[in-house]
Amino acid sequence: QVRLVESGGGLVQAGGSLRLSCAASGSIFSIDVMGWYRQAPGKYREFVAAISSNGTTTYSHSVKGRFGISRDNAKNTVYLQMNSLRPEDTAVYYCNAPNLYETYHYWGQGTQVTVSS
């Protein structure tokens, strides 16, 4: 079992920045990729960004160039630096980690990000 705990959400004005953190604990040997999803009210949960243990990153089109994902393997922690935030980035952000065979996904409890216009 893997436990994911997010922190760093909050309220920010449009154009501002926030950094989210997600710390993993438990059977961390069973995961490699860690990432972020988000869910806005009335919308489906969508992929934001992911990073593998060797540093390979992927981003959704909507955040590429504005958000940066990184990780500290020694701390089992992944970060999401969000810059140039827009009101449409408002959502609950969830940390995600699939197991090595991608047969199961671990999720954090979510952290609210609100961007005011």
mmCIF file with all atom_site columns, all heavy atoms in Angstrom, residues 34-57:
data_model
loop_
_atom_site.group_PDB
_atom_site.id
_atom_site.type_symbol
_atom_site.label_atom_id
_atom_site.label_alt_id
_atom_site.label_comp_id
_atom_site.label_asym_id
_atom_site.label_entity_id
_atom_site.label_seq_id
_atom_site.pdbx_PDB_ins_code
_atom_site.Cartn_x
_atom_site.Cartn_y
_atom_site.Cartn_z
_atom_site.occupancy
_atom_site.B_iso_or_equiv
_atom_site.pdbx_formal_charge
_atom_site.auth_seq_id
_atom_site.auth_comp_id
_atom_site.auth_asym_id
_atom_site.auth_atom_id
_atom_site.pdbx_PDB_model_num
ATOM 1   N N   . MET A 1 34 ? 5.045   9.208  -10.775 1.00 0.00 ? 34 MET A N   1
ATOM 2   C CA  . MET A 1 34 ? 4.165   9.986  -9.903  1.00 0.00 ? 34 MET A CA  1
ATOM 3   C C   . MET A 1 34 ? 3.678   11.194 -10.695 1.00 0.00 ? 34 MET A C   1
ATOM 4   O O   . MET A 1 34 ? 4.400   11.711 -11.555 1.00 0.00 ? 34 MET A O   1
ATOM 5   C CB  . MET A 1 34 ? 4.894   10.442 -8.638  1.00 0.00 ? 34 MET A CB  1
ATOM 6   C CG  . MET A 1 34 ? 5.310   9.300  -7.738  1.00 0.00 ? 34 MET A CG  1
ATOM 7   S SD  . MET A 1 34 ? 6.151   9.862  -6.238  1.00 0.00 ? 34 MET A SD  1
ATOM 8   C CE  . MET A 1 34 ? 4.793   10.632 -5.341  1.00 0.00 ? 34 MET A CE  1
ATOM 9   N N   . GLY A 1 35 ? 2.473   11.608 -10.394 1.00 0.00 ? 35 GLY A N   1
ATOM 10  C CA  . GLY A 1 35 ? 1.943   12.711 -11.178 1.00 0.00 ? 35 GLY A CA  1
ATOM 11  C C   . GLY A 1 35 ? 0.789   13.421 -10.515 1.00 0.00 ? 35 GLY A C   1
ATOM 12  O O   . GLY A 1 35 ? 0.494   13.186 -9.329  1.00 0.00 ? 35 GLY A O   1
ATOM 13  N N   . TRP A 1 36 ? 0.183   14.290 -11.289 1.00 0.00 ? 36 TRP A N   1
ATOM 14  C CA  . TRP A 1 36 ? -0.915  15.112 -10.790 1.00 0.00 ? 36 TRP A CA  1
ATOM 15  C C   . TRP A 1 36 ? -2.090  15.074 -11.767 1.00 0.00 ? 36 TRP A C   1
ATOM 16  O O   . TRP A 1 36 ? -1.899  15.114 -12.993 1.00 0.00 ? 36 TRP A O   1
ATOM 17  C CB  . TRP A 1 36 ? -0.462  16.568 -10.628 1.00 0.00 ? 36 TRP A CB  1
ATOM 18  C CG  . TRP A 1 36 ? 0.583   16.755 -9.583  1.00 0.00 ? 36 TRP A CG  1
ATOM 19  C CD1 . TRP A 1 36 ? 1.935   16.710 -9.755  1.00 0.00 ? 36 TRP A CD1 1
ATOM 20  C CD2 . TRP A 1 36 ? 0.350   17.004 -8.188  1.00 0.00 ? 36 TRP A CD2 1
ATOM 21  N NE1 . TRP A 1 36 ? 2.564   16.917 -8.548  1.00 0.00 ? 36 TRP A NE1 1
ATOM 22  C CE2 . TRP A 1 36 ? 1.621   17.105 -7.578  1.00 0.00 ? 36 TRP A CE2 1
ATOM 23  C CE3 . TRP A 1 36 ? -0.784  17.167 -7.401  1.00 0.00 ? 36 TRP A CE3 1
ATOM 24  C CZ2 . TRP A 1 36 ? 1.778   17.350 -6.212  1.00 0.00 ? 36 TRP A CZ2 1
ATOM 25  C CZ3 . TRP A 1 36 ? -0.630  17.410 -6.055  1.00 0.00 ? 36 TRP A CZ3 1
ATOM 26  C CH2 . TRP A 1 36 ? 0.636   17.500 -5.460  1.00 0.00 ? 36 TRP A CH2 1
ATOM 27  N N   . TYR A 1 37 ? -3.277  15.022 -11.201 1.00 0.00 ? 37 TYR A N   1
ATOM 28  C CA  . TYR A 1 37 ? -4.516  15.182 -11.922 1.00 0.00 ? 37 TYR A CA  1
ATOM 29  C C   . TYR A 1 37 ? -5.280  16.314 -11.245 1.00 0.00 ? 37 TYR A C   1
ATOM 30  O O   . TYR A 1 37 ? -4.958  16.713 -10.127 1.00 0.00 ? 37 TYR A O   1
ATOM 31  C CB  . TYR A 1 37 ? -5.357  13.905 -11.867 1.00 0.00 ? 37 TYR A CB  1
ATOM 32  C CG  . TYR A 1 37 ? -4.882  12.797 -12.786 1.00 0.00 ? 37 TYR A CG  1
ATOM 33  C CD1 . TYR A 1 37 ? -3.685  12.134 -12.552 1.00 0.00 ? 37 TYR A CD1 1
ATOM 34  C CD2 . TYR A 1 37 ? -5.647  12.407 -13.879 1.00 0.00 ? 37 TYR A CD2 1
ATOM 35  C CE1 . TYR A 1 37 ? -3.252  11.120 -13.387 1.00 0.00 ? 37 TYR A CE1 1
ATOM 36  C CE2 . TYR A 1 37 ? -5.230  11.378 -14.719 1.00 0.00 ? 37 TYR A CE2 1
ATOM 37  C CZ  . TYR A 1 37 ? -4.040  10.744 -14.467 1.00 0.00 ? 37 TYR A CZ  1
ATOM 38  O OH  . TYR A 1 37 ? -3.616  9.745  -15.291 1.00 0.00 ? 37 TYR A OH  1
ATOM 39  N N   . ARG A 1 38 ? -6.300  16.795 -11.925 1.00 0.00 ? 38 ARG A N   1
ATOM 40  C CA  . ARG A 1 38 ? -7.149  17.813 -11.300 1.00 0.00 ? 38 ARG A CA  1
ATOM 41  C C   . ARG A 1 38 ? -8.595  17.612 -11.723 1.00 0.00 ? 38 ARG A C   1
ATOM 42  O O   . ARG A 1 38 ? -8.873  17.041 -12.780 1.00 0.00 ? 38 ARG A O   1
ATOM 43  C CB  . ARG A 1 38 ? -6.683  19.226 -11.670 1.00 0.00 ? 38 ARG A CB  1
ATOM 44  C CG  . ARG A 1 38 ? -6.850  19.580 -13.147 1.00 0.00 ? 38 ARG A CG  1
ATOM 45  C CD  . ARG A 1 38 ? -6.222  20.939 -13.430 1.00 0.00 ? 38 ARG A CD  1
ATOM 46  N NE  . ARG A 1 38 ? -6.390  21.344 -14.830 1.00 0.00 ? 38 ARG A NE  1
ATOM 47  C CZ  . ARG A 1 38 ? -5.844  22.436 -15.349 1.00 0.00 ? 38 ARG A CZ  1
ATOM 48  N NH1 . ARG A 1 38 ? -5.079  23.227 -14.624 1.00 0.00 ? 38 ARG A NH1 1
ATOM 49  N NH2 . ARG A 1 38 ? -6.058  22.736 -16.629 1.00 0.00 ? 38 ARG A NH2 1
ATOM 50  N N   . GLN A 1 39 ? -9.489  18.094 -10.866 1.00 0.00 ? 39 GLN A N   1
ATOM 51  C CA  . GLN A 1 39 ? -10.918 17.984 -11.153 1.00 0.00 ? 39 GLN A CA  1
ATOM 52  C C   . GLN A 1 39 ? -11.603 19.272 -10.756 1.00 0.00 ? 39 GLN A C   1
ATOM 53  O O   . GLN A 1 39 ? -11.604 19.653 -9.569  1.00 0.00 ? 39 GLN A O   1
ATOM 54  C CB  . GLN A 1 39 ? -11.541 16.802 -10.419 1.00 0.00 ? 39 GLN A CB  1
ATOM 55  C CG  . GLN A 1 39 ? -12.979 16.536 -10.817 1.00 0.00 ? 39 GLN A CG  1
ATOM 56  C CD  . GLN A 1 39 ? -13.459 15.182 -10.336 1.00 0.00 ? 39 GLN A CD  1
ATOM 57  O OE1 . GLN A 1 39 ? -12.873 14.569 -9.457  1.00 0.00 ? 39 GLN A OE1 1
ATOM 58  N NE2 . GLN A 1 39 ? -14.545 14.701 -10.943 1.00 0.00 ? 39 GLN A NE2 1
ATOM 59  N N   . ALA A 1 40 ? -12.159 19.939 -11.745 1.00 0.00 ? 40 ALA A N   1
ATOM 60  C CA  . ALA A 1 40 ? -12.928 21.150 -11.506 1.00 0.00 ? 40 ALA A CA  1
ATOM 61  C C   . ALA A 1 40 ? -14.387 20.773 -11.274 1.00 0.00 ? 40 ALA A C   1
ATOM 62  O O   . ALA A 1 40 ? -14.832 19.707 -11.702 1.00 0.00 ? 40 ALA A O   1
ATOM 63  C CB  . ALA A 1 40 ? -12.806 22.083 -12.699 1.00 0.00 ? 40 ALA A CB  1
ATOM 64  N N   . PRO A 1 41 ? -15.159 21.645 -10.613 1.00 0.00 ? 41 PRO A N   1
ATOM 65  C CA  . PRO A 1 41 ? -16.573 21.334 -10.358 1.00 0.00 ? 41 PRO A CA  1
ATOM 66  C C   . PRO A 1 41 ? -17.324 21.035 -11.640 1.00 0.00 ? 41 PRO A C   1
ATOM 67  O O   . PRO A 1 41 ? -17.231 21.782 -12.623 1.00 0.00 ? 41 PRO A O   1
ATOM 68  C CB  . PRO A 1 41 ? -17.089 22.617 -9.699  1.00 0.00 ? 41 PRO A CB  1
ATOM 69  C CG  . PRO A 1 41 ? -15.888 23.231 -9.067  1.00 0.00 ? 41 PRO A CG  1
ATOM 70  C CD  . PRO A 1 41 ? -14.759 22.911 -9.991  1.00 0.00 ? 41 PRO A CD  1
ATOM 71  N N   . GLY A 1 42 ? -18.029 19.923 -11.632 1.00 0.00 ? 42 GLY A N   1
ATOM 72  C CA  . GLY A 1 42 ? -18.838 19.555 -12.792 1.00 0.00 ? 42 GLY A CA  1
ATOM 73  C C   . GLY A 1 42 ? -18.057 18.993 -13.958 1.00 0.00 ? 42 GLY A C   1
ATOM 74  O O   . GLY A 1 42 ? -18.638 18.770 -15.030 1.00 0.00 ? 42 GLY A O   1
ATOM 75  N N   . LYS A 1 43 ? -16.772 18.748 -13.761 1.00 0.00 ? 43 LYS A N   1
ATOM 76  C CA  . LYS A 1 43 ? -15.948 18.226 -14.854 1.00 0.00 ? 43 LYS A CA  1
ATOM 77  C C   . LYS A 1 43 ? -15.287 16.918 -14.452 1.00 0.00 ? 43 LYS A C   1
ATOM 78  O O   . LYS A 1 43 ? -15.201 16.584 -13.271 1.00 0.00 ? 43 LYS A O   1
ATOM 79  C CB  . LYS A 1 43 ? -14.893 19.248 -15.253 1.00 0.00 ? 43 LYS A CB  1
ATOM 80  C CG  . LYS A 1 43 ? -15.462 20.522 -15.864 1.00 0.00 ? 43 LYS A CG  1
ATOM 81  C CD  . LYS A 1 43 ? -14.374 21.400 -16.433 1.00 0.00 ? 43 LYS A CD  1
ATOM 82  C CE  . LYS A 1 43 ? -14.945 22.630 -17.118 1.00 0.00 ? 43 LYS A CE  1
ATOM 83  N NZ  . LYS A 1 43 ? -13.893 23.489 -17.709 1.00 0.00 ? 43 LYS A NZ  1
ATOM 84  N N   . TYR A 1 44 ? -14.824 16.174 -15.468 1.00 0.00 ? 44 TYR A N   1
ATOM 85  C CA  . TYR A 1 44 ? -14.106 14.941 -15.194 1.00 0.00 ? 44 TYR A CA  1
ATOM 86  C C   . TYR A 1 44 ? -12.702 15.247 -14.679 1.00 0.00 ? 44 TYR A C   1
ATOM 87  O O   . TYR A 1 44 ? -12.140 16.315 -14.947 1.00 0.00 ? 44 TYR A O   1
ATOM 88  C CB  . TYR A 1 44 ? -13.999 14.104 -16.479 1.00 0.00 ? 44 TYR A CB  1
ATOM 89  C CG  . TYR A 1 44 ? -15.303 13.523 -16.947 1.00 0.00 ? 44 TYR A CG  1
ATOM 90  C CD1 . TYR A 1 44 ? -15.939 14.041 -18.069 1.00 0.00 ? 44 TYR A CD1 1
ATOM 91  C CD2 . TYR A 1 44 ? -15.893 12.455 -16.278 1.00 0.00 ? 44 TYR A CD2 1
ATOM 92  C CE1 . TYR A 1 44 ? -17.139 13.507 -18.510 1.00 0.00 ? 44 TYR A CE1 1
ATOM 93  C CE2 . TYR A 1 44 ? -17.098 11.926 -16.715 1.00 0.00 ? 44 TYR A CE2 1
ATOM 94  C CZ  . TYR A 1 44 ? -17.712 12.446 -17.818 1.00 0.00 ? 44 TYR A CZ  1
ATOM 95  O OH  . TYR A 1 44 ? -18.906 11.924 -18.253 1.00 0.00 ? 44 TYR A OH  1
ATOM 96  N N   . ARG A 1 45 ? -12.152 14.296 -13.955 1.00 0.00 ? 45 ARG A N   1
ATOM 97  C CA  . ARG A 1 45 ? -10.770 14.416 -13.518 1.00 0.00 ? 45 ARG A CA  1
ATOM 98  C C   . ARG A 1 45 ? -9.870  14.326 -14.748 1.00 0.00 ? 45 ARG A C   1
ATOM 99  O O   . ARG A 1 45 ? -10.050 13.455 -15.588 1.00 0.00 ? 45 ARG A O   1
ATOM 100 C CB  . ARG A 1 45 ? -10.440 13.329 -12.513 1.00 0.00 ? 45 ARG A CB  1
ATOM 101 C CG  . ARG A 1 45 ? -9.129  13.517 -11.797 1.00 0.00 ? 45 ARG A CG  1
ATOM 102 C CD  . ARG A 1 45 ? -8.954  12.501 -10.677 1.00 0.00 ? 45 ARG A CD  1
ATOM 103 N NE  . ARG A 1 45 ? -9.973  12.653 -9.634  1.00 0.00 ? 45 ARG A NE  1
ATOM 104 C CZ  . ARG A 1 45 ? -9.938  12.005 -8.478  1.00 0.00 ? 45 ARG A CZ  1
ATOM 105 N NH1 . ARG A 1 45 ? -8.926  11.184 -8.208  1.00 0.00 ? 45 ARG A NH1 1
ATOM 106 N NH2 . ARG A 1 45 ? -10.908 12.175 -7.588  1.00 0.00 ? 45 ARG A NH2 1
ATOM 107 N N   . GLU A 1 46 ? -8.897  15.231 -14.840 1.00 0.00 ? 46 GLU A N   1
ATOM 108 C CA  . GLU A 1 46 ? -8.030  15.255 -16.011 1.00 0.00 ? 46 GLU A CA  1
ATOM 109 C C   . GLU A 1 46 ? -6.568  15.210 -15.619 1.00 0.00 ? 46 GLU A C   1
ATOM 110 O O   . GLU A 1 46 ? -6.172  15.709 -14.556 1.00 0.00 ? 46 GLU A O   1
ATOM 111 C CB  . GLU A 1 46 ? -8.301  16.505 -16.862 1.00 0.00 ? 46 GLU A CB  1
ATOM 112 C CG  . GLU A 1 46 ? -7.970  17.823 -16.188 1.00 0.00 ? 46 GLU A CG  1
ATOM 113 C CD  . GLU A 1 46 ? -8.091  19.018 -17.121 1.00 0.00 ? 46 GLU A CD  1
ATOM 114 O OE1 . GLU A 1 46 ? -8.412  18.844 -18.307 1.00 0.00 ? 46 GLU A OE1 1
ATOM 115 O OE2 . GLU A 1 46 ? -7.839  20.153 -16.638 1.00 0.00 ? 46 GLU A OE2 1
ATOM 116 N N   . PHE A 1 47 ? -5.775  14.652 -16.509 1.00 0.00 ? 47 PHE A N   1
ATOM 117 C CA  . PHE A 1 47 ? -4.336  14.547 -16.309 1.00 0.00 ? 47 PHE A CA  1
ATOM 118 C C   . PHE A 1 47 ? -3.702  15.934 -16.402 1.00 0.00 ? 47 PHE A C   1
ATOM 119 O O   . PHE A 1 47 ? -4.073  16.746 -17.249 1.00 0.00 ? 47 PHE A O   1
ATOM 120 C CB  . PHE A 1 47 ? -3.757  13.620 -17.370 1.00 0.00 ? 47 PHE A CB  1
ATOM 121 C CG  . PHE A 1 47 ? -2.257  13.611 -17.428 1.00 0.00 ? 47 PHE A CG  1
ATOM 122 C CD1 . PHE A 1 47 ? -1.527  12.906 -16.501 1.00 0.00 ? 47 PHE A CD1 1
ATOM 123 C CD2 . PHE A 1 47 ? -1.591  14.318 -18.416 1.00 0.00 ? 47 PHE A CD2 1
ATOM 124 C CE1 . PHE A 1 47 ? -0.142  12.900 -16.555 1.00 0.00 ? 47 PHE A CE1 1
ATOM 125 C CE2 . PHE A 1 47 ? -0.212  14.323 -18.484 1.00 0.00 ? 47 PHE A CE2 1
ATOM 126 C CZ  . PHE A 1 47 ? 0.515   13.606 -17.548 1.00 0.00 ? 47 PHE A CZ  1
ATOM 127 N N   . VAL A 1 48 ? -2.708  16.174 -15.526 1.00 0.00 ? 48 VAL A N   1
ATOM 128 C CA  . VAL A 1 48 ? -1.983  17.440 -15.559 1.00 0.00 ? 48 VAL A CA  1
ATOM 129 C C   . VAL A 1 48 ? -0.527  17.218 -15.951 1.00 0.00 ? 48 VAL A C   1
ATOM 130 O O   . VAL A 1 48 ? -0.035  17.779 -16.921 1.00 0.00 ? 48 VAL A O   1
ATOM 131 C CB  . VAL A 1 48 ? -2.053  18.161 -14.195 1.00 0.00 ? 48 VAL A CB  1
ATOM 132 C CG1 . VAL A 1 48 ? -1.199  19.424 -14.212 1.00 0.00 ? 48 VAL A CG1 1
ATOM 133 C CG2 . VAL A 1 48 ? -3.500  18.488 -13.838 1.00 0.00 ? 48 VAL A CG2 1
ATOM 134 N N   . ALA A 1 49 ? 0.173   16.398 -15.178 1.00 0.00 ? 49 ALA A N   1
ATOM 135 C CA  . ALA A 1 49 ? 1.591   16.170 -15.444 1.00 0.00 ? 49 ALA A CA  1
ATOM 136 C C   . ALA A 1 49 ? 2.038   14.916 -14.710 1.00 0.00 ? 49 ALA A C   1
ATOM 137 O O   . ALA A 1 49 ? 1.396   14.498 -13.737 1.00 0.00 ? 49 ALA A O   1
ATOM 138 C CB  . ALA A 1 49 ? 2.433   17.361 -14.990 1.00 0.00 ? 49 ALA A CB  1
ATOM 139 N N   . ALA A 1 50 ? 3.136   14.324 -15.186 1.00 0.00 ? 50 ALA A N   1
ATOM 140 C CA  . ALA A 1 50 ? 3.693   13.142 -14.543 1.00 0.00 ? 50 ALA A CA  1
ATOM 141 C C   . ALA A 1 50 ? 5.194   13.126 -14.733 1.00 0.00 ? 50 ALA A C   1
ATOM 142 O O   . ALA A 1 50 ? 5.729   13.732 -15.675 1.00 0.00 ? 50 ALA A O   1
ATOM 143 C CB  . ALA A 1 50 ? 3.065   11.867 -15.102 1.00 0.00 ? 50 ALA A CB  1
ATOM 144 N N   . ILE A 1 51 ? 5.872   12.409 -13.832 1.00 0.00 ? 51 ILE A N   1
ATOM 145 C CA  . ILE A 1 51 ? 7.319   12.292 -13.906 1.00 0.00 ? 51 ILE A CA  1
ATOM 146 C C   . ILE A 1 51 ? 7.726   10.899 -13.441 1.00 0.00 ? 51 ILE A C   1
ATOM 147 O O   . ILE A 1 51 ? 7.199   10.380 -12.461 1.00 0.00 ? 51 ILE A O   1
ATOM 148 C CB  . ILE A 1 51 ? 8.005   13.391 -13.051 1.00 0.00 ? 51 ILE A CB  1
ATOM 149 C CG1 . ILE A 1 51 ? 9.518   13.329 -13.199 1.00 0.00 ? 51 ILE A CG1 1
ATOM 150 C CG2 . ILE A 1 51 ? 7.579   13.309 -11.590 1.00 0.00 ? 51 ILE A CG2 1
ATOM 151 C CD1 . ILE A 1 51 ? 10.227  14.561 -12.610 1.00 0.00 ? 51 ILE A CD1 1
ATOM 152 N N   . SER A 1 52 ? 8.647   10.289 -14.182 1.00 0.00 ? 52 SER A N   1
ATOM 153 C CA  . SER A 1 52 ? 9.140   8.976  -13.799 1.00 0.00 ? 52 SER A CA  1
ATOM 154 C C   . SER A 1 52 ? 10.317  9.131  -12.839 1.00 0.00 ? 52 SER A C   1
ATOM 155 O O   . SER A 1 52 ? 10.835  10.226 -12.633 1.00 0.00 ? 52 SER A O   1
ATOM 156 C CB  . SER A 1 52 ? 9.573   8.196  -15.042 1.00 0.00 ? 52 SER A CB  1
ATOM 157 O OG  . SER A 1 52 ? 10.721  8.817  -15.618 1.00 0.00 ? 52 SER A OG  1
ATOM 158 N N   . SER A 1 53 ? 10.764  8.015  -12.299 1.00 0.00 ? 53 SER A N   1
ATOM 159 C CA  . SER A 1 53 ? 11.880  8.067  -11.343 1.00 0.00 ? 53 SER A CA  1
ATOM 160 C C   . SER A 1 53 ? 13.176  8.526  -12.003 1.00 0.00 ? 53 SER A C   1
ATOM 161 O O   . SER A 1 53 ? 14.062  9.048  -11.322 1.00 0.00 ? 53 SER A O   1
ATOM 162 C CB  . SER A 1 53 ? 12.081  6.706  -10.684 1.00 0.00 ? 53 SER A CB  1
ATOM 163 O OG  . SER A 1 53 ? 12.343  5.733  -11.671 1.00 0.00 ? 53 SER A OG  1
ATOM 164 N N   . ASN A 1 54 ? 13.284  8.365  -13.326 1.00 0.00 ? 54 ASN A N   1
ATOM 165 C CA  . ASN A 1 54 ? 14.504  8.818  -14.004 1.00 0.00 ? 54 ASN A CA  1
ATOM 166 C C   . ASN A 1 54 ? 14.377  10.240 -14.542 1.00 0.00 ? 54 ASN A C   1
ATOM 167 O O   . ASN A 1 54 ? 15.278  10.726 -15.220 1.00 0.00 ? 54 ASN A O   1
ATOM 168 C CB  . ASN A 1 54 ? 14.890  7.865  -15.136 1.00 0.00 ? 54 ASN A CB  1
ATOM 169 C CG  . ASN A 1 54 ? 13.894  7.871  -16.277 1.00 0.00 ? 54 ASN A CG  1
ATOM 170 O OD1 . ASN A 1 54 ? 12.958  8.661  -16.301 1.00 0.00 ? 54 ASN A OD1 1
ATOM 171 N ND2 . ASN A 1 54 ? 14.086  6.979  -17.236 1.00 0.00 ? 54 ASN A ND2 1
ATOM 172 N N   . GLY A 1 55 ? 13.246  10.904 -14.228 1.00 0.00 ? 55 GLY A N   1
ATOM 173 C CA  . GLY A 1 55 ? 13.091  12.309 -14.574 1.00 0.00 ? 55 GLY A CA  1
ATOM 174 C C   . GLY A 1 55 ? 12.355  12.605 -15.861 1.00 0.00 ? 55 GLY A C   1
ATOM 175 O O   . GLY A 1 55 ? 12.203  13.783 -16.228 1.00 0.00 ? 55 GLY A O   1
ATOM 176 N N   . THR A 1 56 ? 11.865  11.589 -16.544 1.00 0.00 ? 56 THR A N   1
ATOM 177 C CA  . THR A 1 56 ? 11.091  11.826 -17.758 1.00 0.00 ? 56 THR A CA  1
ATOM 178 C C   . THR A 1 56 ? 9.742   12.441 -17.400 1.00 0.00 ? 56 THR A C   1
ATOM 179 O O   . THR A 1 56 ? 9.041   11.932 -16.533 1.00 0.00 ? 56 THR A O   1
ATOM 180 C CB  . THR A 1 56 ? 10.873  10.517 -18.527 1.00 0.00 ? 56 THR A CB  1
ATOM 181 O OG1 . THR A 1 56 ? 12.146  9.951  -18.859 1.00 0.00 ? 56 THR A OG1 1
ATOM 182 C CG2 . THR A 1 56 ? 10.083  10.767 -19.797 1.00 0.00 ? 56 THR A CG2 1
ATOM 183 N N   . THR A 1 57 ? 9.405   13.531 -18.070 1.00 0.00 ? 57 THR A N   1
ATOM 184 C CA  . THR A 1 57 ? 8.174   14.257 -17.742 1.00 0.00 ? 57 THR A CA  1
ATOM 185 C C   . THR A 1 57 ? 7.200   14.279 -18.902 1.00 0.00 ? 57 THR A C   1
ATOM 186 O O   . THR A 1 57 ? 7.593   14.216 -20.072 1.00 0.00 ? 57 THR A O   1
ATOM 187 C CB  . THR A 1 57 ? 8.487   15.709 -17.344 1.00 0.00 ? 57 THR A CB  1
ATOM 188 O OG1 . THR A 1 57 ? 9.159   16.358 -18.437 1.00 0.00 ? 57 THR A OG1 1
ATOM 189 C CG2 . THR A 1 57 ? 9.363   15.769 -16.113 1.00 0.00 ? 57 THR A CG2 1
#
